[in-house]
Amino acid sequence: MPQQFDSMPEGNYPMAISLNGLLSPSTINSDPPGPLMLPIQH
């Protein structure tokens, strides 16, 4: 994990992934659709 996450409080954070100029969707295909979350734990 990048060091910048060390200073963030624990919780779930929305995330997207960028690779070669392409950006992943910010929601997942669920019912109902929800954000893609990254859990941060220390």
Side-chain angles (χ1 to χ4, degrees):
M1 279 291 153
Q3 259 187 333
Q4 69 223 37
F5 291 115
D6 286 346
S7 62
M8 297 172 71
E10 288 189 8
N12 293 325
Y13 293 88
M15 66 172 285
I17 299 169
S18 175
L19 180 64
N20 293 332
L22 299 175
L23 188 62
S24 69
S26 58
T27 59
I28 55 174
N29 226 356
S30 59
D31 190 15
L36 183 60
M37 302 300 280
L38 175 67
I40 302 292
Q41 296 178 338
H42 298 277

